[in-house]
Every structure is written in C-alpha cells, then in structure tokens.
Amino acid sequence: VVLKIIKHYQEEGQGNEVVQGVLLGLVVDDRLEITNCFPFPQHTEDDADFDEVQYQMEMMRSLRHVNIDHLHVGWYQSTYYGSFVTRALLDSQFSYQHAIEESVVLIYDPIKTAQGSLSLKAYRLTPRLMEVCKEKDFSPEALKKANIAYENMFEEVPIVIKNSYLINVMLWELEKKSAVADRHELLSLASSNHLGKSLQLLMDRVDEMSQDIVKYNTYLRNVSKQQQQKHQYQQRRQQENIQRQSRGEAPLPEEDINKLFKPPQPPPRMESLLIAGQINTYCQNIKEFNAQNLGKLFMAQALQDYNN
C-alpha cells in the first residue's frame, strides 16, 4: 500500500499538486489492517460528467470479483510541506468517519520522505469534533461548550508497516542498484530552500490568523455597540412611560427588543481552529527538520573522522 501511494505521487503529483486515493482493508480485533488501495484519477474541467462515487463503486466491485480485499476503510492524500489541516480534509474525513466508523486518512509527505525518512501518518477526527460536525454549529459558543481546541481536533493513530517477503526482496534489490552518490545526498545539509518555504507558509497562515482575529474583534465591537443602543432605547422608553403616566395616559406596549435590534451574526470559528492547527503542524515540521539536520551534521562529522 505504501509503495502504491508513493508510486501514485511520483506519477501524477507535481509540486504542490495533491494526489488522493481510497484505502481498502478490514478490521481485525482492535486494529485496522489496510491491505490495498487505488488512486482517484486526475480529471480536468472537460470531465464534467465524471462521477467519483460511481468510479469507486466500480473499482471495489471489480476487486471483489478477483477476490481482493475490497472493503472501504478510509482514504489517503499527499501533502505539500505539511499543508493538510484544511476544511476540505475535515469535511472529507467527517463524511468517511460518519459512514464508516473505523475510517482513517493517511497523510504522505513526499518532501520529507525524499530526505531519507518515510513520512506517513494516520489521523482520525476526535469524538468531540465528530459531535460538533454532526450539529454543523461552529459558533464560538458551540465550540466553547464542546471544549474544542486545535490540539484535540485530530487524533493520530500509530502505524505499523508489514512487508511481504516478495516486497522485502524487491527493496533489497532496489538498494543494491541505487548509486552510492544518491545515498550520500541524504546527508546533504543544504536546507535553505526547504526551511525558507516552510517559514513562508508559516507566515502566510499567521497572516490569515491575524485577519481572522480582526474579524472577530470587529464582531465583538458590534455586539458591544448594540448593547449600548439597547440600553439607551430602554432608558428612553422608560422615561417616556413615566411622562405618559404623569399625564394619565396608558404606557406604551412592550416590544420584543430582540426584533428591533437583531444581534450580529458571529463569525464561524472552525476556520480559526484549522489555521491554528496548521500553524502548529508547520512549527513541528520545522522543529523536526532542524533536529534531522543536526543528526546529519553529526553523521557527516563521524564519516569524515572515519575517513581520516
């Protein structure tokens, strides 16, 4: 499955283009075994009639006919410098997990993998977030009531990769054929491009967070301003009723003040949580990258001392 995901990205993924596919397998005791996968085909605007659901059903039907695992257990996608904490991923994983409780999403990072360490992680939505998504209420009050923060939106599932004997033989053959120069490239300390791109993406998300904070502060100011207007209206109403009472007139009928002053609509807060989660992911990637480079530095020094 891992080799198929890597092959899919190598064939169709270019730059920041994301590739996606379906995971197949079965639940055994307390673990989810992912034993097969197939990619979503790339289609352009000309393929307006393409039906992804129908395509998946046809593929699973064909796999069942040849006696291959065909049970749907999730999906996978590649990521560009760790940019995967998005609303699209949240909505897709909720749809999968709502229909198939055991579903996971595998996130494959080809850039980190190219540096010599396979980057593959499995995520699920937490039960709290599932409940909020079912209600489709992402207001500040609803998220606060559910105690949702970016730290408890996703839960990472540990991955254990098991190869068949044939796959192990193939990997040994590939390692024998790989050039020595290619292996030494894994110790390269040239990191300015990777680090610069990660920092640029991090700054972009921080700017988005800043804009979202401005929107929320504007909402709070509008609420405060409306509260003052309500208070002034009630005072004027009370004074007018006192004057009418002194003249022996009937007081003015009570009115629903909420109809006169419609409360401003609070901005949805889910986007802010996703941005915060993405910022946290970028920070973790930069931290791991620096630690990896430090390890390369020690390894390069050890090789130099050995050669000397």
Side-chain angles (χ1 to χ4, degrees), residues 194-209:
H194 184 282
L195 189 59
K197 189 64 179 178
S198 298
L199 289 173
Q200 183 61 52
L201 291 169
L202 175 60
M203 288 188 293
D204 291 342
R205 297 294 86 75
V206 171
D207 288 341
E208 290 180 9
M209 175 64 77

Side-chain angles (χ1 to χ4, degrees), residues 4 48 106 149 181:
K4 283 184 178 181
L106 287 182

Side-chain angles (χ1 to χ4, degrees), residues 26-87:
L26 65 162
V27 177
V28 179
D29 297 330
D30 59 347
R31 67 183 184 274
L32 177 67
E33 293 191 356
I34 301 173
T35 57
N36 199 8
C37 69
F38 62 84
F40 289 145
Q42 296 281 5
H43 54 274
T44 61
E45 296 179 357
D46 299 333
D47 305 327
D49 297 334
F50 180 78
D51 189 342
E52 287 190 357
V53 177
Q54 184 64 28
Y55 170 78
Q56 293 180 43
M57 297 302 294
E58 290 293 336
M59 282 293 296
M60 288 187 286
R61 189 177 297 112
S62 300
L63 291 171
R64 185 174 67 248
H65 287 164
V66 293
N67 200 26
I68 295 178
D69 291 340
H70 61 277
L71 298 179
H72 211 152
V73 294
W75 61 297
Y76 70 85
Q77 81 163 42
S78 64
T79 182
Y80 179 68
Y81 286 96
S83 303
F84 64 89
V85 186
T86 62
R87 185 60 181 270

Side-chain angles (χ1 to χ4, degrees), residues 132-194:
V132 172
C133 291
K134 287 178 183 177
E135 299 296 331
K136 297 182 179 180
D137 183 5
F138 303 124
S139 63
E141 292 78 13
L143 295 177
K144 183 178 180 180
K145 182 179 178 181
N147 196 21
I148 295 292
Y150 71 88
E151 298 96 334
N152 55 16
M153 294 175 64
F154 298 92
E155 57 182 359
E156 185 175 351
V157 182
I159 297 177
V160 177
I161 300 175
K162 293 187 177 181
N163 293 333
S164 68
Y165 295 116
L166 291 177
I167 292 296
N168 284 331
V169 170
M170 187 191 75
L171 291 176
W172 279 108
E173 289 295 325
L174 290 175
E175 185 176 4
K176 287 181 181 178
K177 293 179 181 179
S178 64
V180 176
D182 293 336
R183 299 179 191 176
H184 286 175
E185 285 179 3
L186 298 178
L187 297 178
S188 172
L189 297 176
S191 59
S192 58
N193 184 41
H194 184 282

